[in-house]
Amino acid sequence: MCGLVGETGSGEQPGVHAALRALAHRGPDDEGCWFDPAGAVTLGVRRLITTDPGKAANQPLISRDGRFVLAFNGYIAGHRRLISGLRDHGQQVESDSDAALFLAVLGNALRVGGDPANALCGFSGQYAFALWDRDTCRLWLGRDPVGIKPLYFSEYGSGNVAFASEIAALRCIVPSAPDRDVSPHYLAHLFVPAPETGFADIRQLRPGELMCWQGGSLESRMIRVAPCHRSVGDNTIAELRQAIRQSVADAMDADREVGTLLSGGVDSGAIAAMASDVARERGQKPPPGFVMQFGNAERDETPRARLLAKHLGMELHIVAAPDRPEEILAHLNDGLRGFGAPFGNPSVVLMQALGAAVSRHVPICLAGDGGDELFGGYPRYRAAAMLRYWHHVPDVIRSLIAGRIADVLPRGMARFVRGGQGRSADAFDHWNDRCALVELGARLSVPADLPGDLCDRMMAFDRRVTLPGNQLAMSDRCGMAYGLEYRVPLLGHEVMAIAKSVSPRVHLRGGGKSLLRAAIAPMMPDGYLSAAKIGFNPPVAEWLVKIGRLLWGSDGRVIAELFGDLPLTVAQRHLYWHRAVRGREPDEALSLWALLVWRVWQMHQLFQEQTPDRDAVINHRKASSVCGTSSRSGVGTAPAA
């Protein structure tokens, strides 16, 4: 993985170098910068070495004929097989890195006038890139179709464009004012959905977006995932098991040590079991596992993680969840620096602490991201499937239950009856909007072309909007903050194709994830898959009190600062605060946490600092770098590929 930065102006090279310093945490192993002789473009890369540690793989890469210059962040599944196939057909691929493969395939397509989106649709994995075509003076910017790797851009000056892997780095080139108009979307999603970012002049590429800049104009198209699943029989379970195993094997194909998260859940358990099996087949010991431990036994999945680790013969590292107010706030601030934008999922604090701990052992870690969205793991999917039956109940009875009676129902049931009052569109909004306070004016950003019935639309919404904007973004920022690359095998194209070929109602049988559970059941210890899901959720109500008082002192001051000029009476403010911190209203607690993060973001140093100091973040990585950092600048000094 890497950090990318670049621009098309002729006078912004100091800004590019400042941006590279701001991205040092993403690439502690090498730095490269290439300047176009005509002054048309500058490309910079900070590299985390995961494949091919040789100097020939350092970036930016230049094609053998000198036409193309590539800055690449990511990995391509099965890259060694694909490189071997190209070489067998007489094509040149000058190194064994993912980037060299990417340059060869994309360059070949552009040389013959092909559509680069079609050339890239067959790549499974995760990536963002910038490619400069010196013959046509075109700059191509792209992001993988799932949205695993980020890329931000800004148009500035007289038709120029700048880009970077993170907002803080991009602001070294293009200062931009905060865009407070994003608050309705932020409060509804707990993040700012693409293409917005929280800054007026900065945008993020949408998942799968491919942009072309030429002569001051930008054009956009989409990279679609190529159809790849061809059923060979009626045993979908066996096909899924094999697809996951192959995706895990591809993710483990690296020239550095690999670990795996082991939360105690189904998704991470599936990855850990497959990784252990692959390692043994290769004559290696299973990769180390990592789990976060909570002091509250009701939140702690360490016992289940220990059970699975023992079953798999895996070494398990236990990471203590942050608990002191000072460390919670420190991790929150670090997370906001990585995002550059408001990010209201409180799990970012846990992921920051986890990333710091995991990176001390391995530079690559497998994770189970995407399992809930692909295989029907969220309760709201089951609610969507049940809605049509609920609508057979007379309106007057549904209204009665959704009123006073809902106040004494369990949280999930109360959300169901309140959201299921009207049309399916109303249920969609109610069950997906994360803001429980109507006075905050939260508003979802929903694509207009979501397919199918309510359950289909909700799963598609999560795959297209929530997964890339929330979990995948969190894994990227919280891992790369410490030079740690998370890889997500469940989002391999073949795995996704099989999951999508099965109807949601099949996935939802038996409480959800029926297909995934069946695929991994032979590899799990007895009773592991039947245990109730705990989830990776911090004690938000407790954290509200701890961070609020740390920032502002007394509860009265906390309430005043938190609600600010919102249209709420004093009585309403106190009511919401006390309901949230008692721990009985988790939805309201989450809404107030998002509001607290918004206030912290408004105060944050990112509003004033153009080049945040990240030296303290990456010091622990320098000693274990594969090679020392070197700086390459000047025309044509990057290696050929």
Side-chain angles (χ1 to χ4, degrees):
M1 292 299 173
C2 301
L4 312 181
V5 64
E7 50 78 36
T8 61
S10 59
E12 302 297 339
Q13 291 177 9
V16 171
H17 284 294
L20 284 171
R21 290 193 295 271
L23 291 173
H25 53 286
R26 295 188 71 95
D29 297 327
D30 190 72
E31 176 182 300
C33 196
W34 182 88
F35 313 123
D36 182 72
V41 70
T42 303
L43 301 181
V45 180
R46 290 290 314 205
R47 186 181 178 209
L48 169 67
I49 296 176
T50 58
T51 59
D52 195 346
K55 291 184 178 180
N58 287 339
Q59 298 188 51
L61 294 178
I62 303 175
S63 62
R64 177 171 288 272
D65 60 5
R67 175 175 172 178
F68 301 108
V69 185
L70 174 70
F72 178 81
N73 170 27
Y75 90 94
I76 302 300
H79 72 283
R80 297 187 206 272
R81 294 193 305 273
L82 296 172
I83 289 173
S84 178
L86 290 179
R87 288 172 175 165
D88 288 346
H89 286 83
Q91 297 188 38
Q92 293 281 347
V93 185
E94 293 301 320
S95 81
D96 294 327
S97 69
D98 313 71
L101 167 67
F102 198 92
L103 177 58
V105 171
L106 187 54
N108 288 342
L110 291 172
R111 285 188 185 94
V112 298
D115 184 349
N118 291 337
L120 300 178
C121 68
F123 278 151
S124 182
Q126 50 199 59
Y127 60 82
F129 74 94
L131 181 122
W132 176 243
D133 185 338
R134 298 175 70 179
D135 283 7
T136 63
C137 293
R138 288 178 175 172
L139 176 67
W140 295 91
L141 304 175
R143 188 180 178 199
D144 67 80
V146 183
I148 304 172
K149 292 287 103 182
L151 194 61
Y152 298 89
F153 72 97
S154 179
E155 297 178 78
Y156 72 100
S158 301
N160 287 312
V161 65
F163 64 89
S165 295
E166 293 182 3
I167 290 175
L170 185 52
R171 293 180 69 214
C172 295
I173 303 172
V174 185
S176 182
D179 179 8
R180 292 178 176 83
D181 291 338
V182 301
S183 63
H185 287 163
Y186 158 71
L187 291 168
H189 293 267
L190 301 183
F191 60 89
V192 181
E196 297 176 317
T197 64
F199 287 87
D201 300 317
I202 295 176
R203 294 290 179 265
Q204 54 180 316
L205 270 70
R206 295 166 292 167
E209 188 167 13
L210 178 64
M211 298 186 67
C212 179
W213 176 93
Q214 185 180 38
S217 298
L218 276 174
E219 295 181 356
S220 178
R221 65 191 77 179
M222 300 303 292
I223 304 168
R224 308 291 182 186
V225 175
C228 56
H229 176 59
R230 297 289 185 272
S231 179
V232 295
D234 58 359
N235 195 341
T236 304
I237 293 172
E239 291 178 9
L240 177 62
R241 184 184 301 120
Q242 177 56 35
I244 295 174
R245 190 184 189 282
Q246 184 61 61
S247 189
V248 169
D250 288 339
M252 294 174 67
D253 188 6
D255 295 318
R256 303 287 298 277
E257 302 85 358
V258 178
T260 181
L261 296 186
L262 189 57
S263 69
V266 174
D267 305 332
S268 65
I271 300 303
M274 296 290 182
S276 298
D277 189 53
V278 169
R280 288 193 175 91
E281 184 181 78
R282 294 175 177 174
Q284 304 166 350
K285 65 178 182 179
F290 300 88
V291 63
M292 179 156 277
Q293 184 175 48
F294 293 86
N296 184 340
E298 294 181 356
R299 299 182 182 275
D300 188 35
E301 291 189 308
T302 303
R304 294 189 69 212
R306 283 197 176 106
L307 172 66
L308 184 56
K310 182 179 180 180
H311 178 76
L312 299 175
M314 175 181 288
E315 177 187 4
L316 183 64
H317 298 268
I318 298 174
V319 181
D323 184 63
R324 293 184 299 106
E326 294 80 8
E327 61 179 339
I328 295 169
L329 182 59
H331 286 309
L332 175 61
N333 277 323
D334 286 343
L336 290 178
R337 289 190 188 97
F339 275 93
F343 188 80
N345 185 337
S347 294
V348 70
V349 173
L350 305 178
M351 289 295 290
Q352 282 287 139
L354 193 61
V358 174
S359 68
R360 299 187 187 106
H361 299 273
V362 295
I364 304 169
C365 189
L366 310 184
D369 295 358
D372 287 309
E373 293 81 1
L374 289 179
F375 298 103
Y378 291 126
R380 62 181 180 274
Y381 300 156
R382 298 193 291 277
M386 293 170 56
L387 183 64
R388 58 176 177 167
Y389 303 109
W390 178 242
H391 278 177
H392 289 307
V393 176
D395 290 352
V396 63
I397 297 178
R398 283 191 282 118
S399 297
L400 177 64
I401 295 175
R404 292 287 184 180
I405 296 178
D407 291 339
V408 298
L409 294 176
R411 177 195 180 198
M413 191 175 296
R415 283 182 60 83
F416 173 76
V417 298
R418 286 170 175 157
Q421 278 293 90
R423 303 170 304 139
S424 64
D426 298 326
F428 181 100
D429 289 343
H430 186 90
W431 292 335
N432 286 290
D433 188 343
R434 307 308 299 273
C435 185
L437 279 62
V438 295
E439 295 88 351
L440 299 188
R443 186 176 70 255
L444 286 172
S445 176
V446 182
D449 59 343
L450 296 179
D453 62 14
L454 178 60
C455 191
D456 290 318
R457 294 200 305 275
M458 291 183 70
M459 293 182 73
F461 173 75
D462 278 349
R463 289 192 297 266
R464 290 172 55 179
V465 179
T466 307
L467 178 61
N470 179 42
Q471 185 58 48
L472 296 179
M474 187 162 50
S475 293
D476 175 82
R477 305 312 186 279
C478 297
M480 295 308 293
Y482 304 96
L484 171 68
E485 172 185 318
Y486 283 113
R487 295 185 174 184
V488 285
L490 291 181
L491 296 176
H493 289 187
E494 181 74 10
V495 179
M496 294 181 67
I498 295 173
K500 291 178 183 178
S501 72
V502 175
S503 74
R505 284 178 172 77
V506 173
H507 285 303
L508 296 175
R509 289 173 184 166
K513 297 186 181 178
S514 64
L515 185 63
L516 179 60
R517 290 172 185 271
I520 65 172
M523 311 177 78
M524 296 290 116
D526 292 342
Y528 184 85
L529 294 177
S530 60
K533 178 178 179 177
I534 295 178
F536 191 62
N537 299 306
V540 179
E542 294 177 20
W543 283 12
L544 271 174
V545 175
K546 289 180 177 181
I547 302 304
R549 290 175 179 172
L550 178 63
L551 288 171
W552 297 303
S554 67
D555 282 4
R557 179 70 186 280
V558 172
I559 292 169
E561 293 289 343
L562 197 61
F563 290 100
D565 58 356
L566 291 172
L568 292 165
T569 66
V570 173
Q572 286 175 314
R573 296 170 186 229
H574 282 264
L575 176 63
Y576 280 139
W577 172 256
H578 291 298
R579 282 164 58 99
V581 300
R582 281 202 308 263
R584 299 176 184 175
E585 298 291 341
D587 294 324
E588 292 183 8
L590 184 60
S591 299
L592 292 195
W593 175 266
L595 191 57
L596 180 146
V597 171
W598 178 263
R599 299 305 185 200
V600 172
W601 182 67
Q602 288 180 317
M603 300 185 300
H604 214 267
Q605 291 182 348
L606 282 176
F607 280 11
Q608 291 82 35
E609 295 179 357
Q610 297 300 307
T611 54
D613 181 7
R614 303 303 296 269
D615 290 343
V617 175
I618 63 168
N619 277 343
H620 75 287
R621 296 286 299 140
K622 289 183 177 179
S624 60
S625 293
V626 169
C627 63
T629 299
S630 63
S631 179
R632 302 184 307 279
S633 60
V635 177
T637 56

